[in-house]
Amino acid sequence: MATVSVYNMEGNEVGTIELNDAVFGVEVNEHLVHQAVVRHLANKRQGTQKAKTRSEVRGGGRKPWRQKGTGHARQGSIRAPQWTGGGVVFAPTPRDYSKKMNKKEKRAAMKSALTSRVEAKKLIVLDSLKLEEIKTKEMQKVLNNLKIKKALVVMPEMDENVMLSTRNIPDVTTIEARMLNVYDVMKYSTVILTKDAVASIEEVYA
């Protein structure tokens, strides 16, 4: 089992914790991680874009001038794509961008993402993370103590004081362990977990 240091909010090492190899020590499958990230971004797309083709634009039923003898190029409709106000060639239409992944693939991708953070020494475990009040300055002090600027903070349950204190800090996001996803794990350079969050993740993925 991988052993990592446990820190307190002052940035001091207060012990160690053994991480379950079934979650934090698997063989990293980069293909599945990439697939999970692409799926996450694709599923966030609305797919509501729409423009009219030449068959949908109002008007243009009459030929603007006769075929020959005018000196102009021949035209069949003032709503053809080359005309201002005409239809769009290959216009976008509403579509569903969502992608699917098998359940086992999603689990394997998450384990690979977490393992990659452990291997890169970018996973930090805190003994606890509690703030007495909603204060950005206090949360920033914790991050400074840990020498971290860009991080994903994973809590076992959503703590309103921590969440709201983090909200105004650039490049720092707080998330519940049950909402953890591969995209966020890979997006942020460091993942901060509380000991309770580690237990929650291992319970789900082990």
Side-chain angles (χ1 to χ4, degrees), residues 38-51:
V38 170
R39 171 182 172 272
H40 180 89
L41 293 174
N43 290 354
K44 287 175 70 174
R45 296 184 70 174
Q46 286 184 311
T48 54
Q49 70 276 45
K50 177 73 174 80

Side-chain angles (χ1 to χ4, degrees), residues 97-120:
Y97 286 96
S98 64
K99 296 179 181 292
K100 292 183 178 180
M101 273 184 81
N102 295 335
K103 193 173 181 180
K104 285 184 178 179
E105 288 178 327
K106 285 190 280 188
R107 290 174 66 88
M110 176 58 75
K111 292 177 183 180
S112 292
L114 291 170
T115 299
S116 70
R117 284 288 166 257
V118 174
E119 290 177 351

Side-chain angles (χ1 to χ4, degrees), residues 17-78:
I17 185 173
E18 286 192 344
L19 301 175
N20 192 333
D21 282 344
V23 181
F24 296 95
V26 301
E27 184 180 346
V28 176
N29 188 325
E30 292 183 5
H31 171 67
L32 283 182
V33 172
H34 176 263
Q35 205 173 324
V37 170
V38 170
R39 171 182 172 272
H40 180 89
L41 293 174
N43 290 354
K44 287 175 70 174
R45 296 184 70 174
Q46 286 184 311
T48 54
Q49 70 276 45
K50 177 73 174 80
K52 291 183 179 180
T53 63
R54 63 182 297 174
S55 66
E56 295 169 320
V57 180
R58 183 183 177 92
R62 181 174 65 85
K63 190 173 174 65
W65 50 74
R66 65 181 189 269
Q67 182 81 344
K68 293 177 178 290
T70 64
H72 295 297
R74 52 194 168 188
Q75 301 291 333
S77 168
I78 62 169

Side-chain angles (χ1 to χ4, degrees), residues 67 94 96 100 105 107 125 130 136 148 155 173 180 190:
Q67 182 81 344
D96 180 12
K100 292 183 178 180
E105 288 178 327
R107 290 174 66 88
V125 180
K130 295 285 183 186
T136 302
I148 292 170
M155 304 289 290
T173 296
L180 194 62
T190 305

Side-chain angles (χ1 to χ4, degrees), residues 40-190:
H40 180 89
L41 293 174
N43 290 354
K44 287 175 70 174
R45 296 184 70 174
Q46 286 184 311
T48 54
Q49 70 276 45
K50 177 73 174 80
K52 291 183 179 180
T53 63
R54 63 182 297 174
S55 66
E56 295 169 320
V57 180
R58 183 183 177 92
R62 181 174 65 85
K63 190 173 174 65
W65 50 74
R66 65 181 189 269
Q67 182 81 344
K68 293 177 178 290
T70 64
H72 295 297
R74 52 194 168 188
Q75 301 291 333
S77 168
I78 62 169
R79 293 295 178 251
Q82 72 271 20
W83 285 73
T84 300
V88 178
V89 182
F90 307 129
T93 53
R95 55 169 286 195
D96 180 12
Y97 286 96
S98 64
K99 296 179 181 292
K100 292 183 178 180
M101 273 184 81
N102 295 335
K103 193 173 181 180
K104 285 184 178 179
E105 288 178 327
K106 285 190 280 188
R107 290 174 66 88
M110 176 58 75
K111 292 177 183 180
S112 292
L114 291 170
T115 299
S116 70
R117 284 288 166 257
V118 174
E119 290 177 351
K121 294 183 169 34
K122 293 294 185 180
L123 188 138
I124 292 176
V125 180
L126 293 178
D127 57 350
S128 65
L129 182 56
K130 295 285 183 186
L131 299 178
E132 298 299 322
E133 56 182 336
I134 300 169
K135 206 146 186 77
T136 302
K137 188 186 290 185
E138 292 302 315
M139 188 63 201
Q140 185 64 63
K141 192 184 295 183
V142 173
L143 295 170
N144 291 343
N145 291 339
L146 296 169
K147 297 185 172 77
I148 292 170
K149 290 184 178 179
K150 185 175 182 179
L152 176 69
V153 181
V154 185
M155 304 289 290
E157 297 174 343
M158 188 49 72
D159 185 315
E160 189 176 15
N161 286 0
V162 174
M163 182 188 75
L164 295 178
S165 297
T166 307
R167 192 166 57 177
N168 282 339
I169 303 176
D171 299 324
V172 178
T173 296
T174 306
I175 193 171
E176 283 184 76
R178 65 185 180 87
M179 301 293 289
L180 194 62
N181 61 80
V182 175
Y183 174 73
D184 282 337
V185 172
M186 301 308 295
K187 177 182 177 183
Y188 294 91
S189 57
T190 305

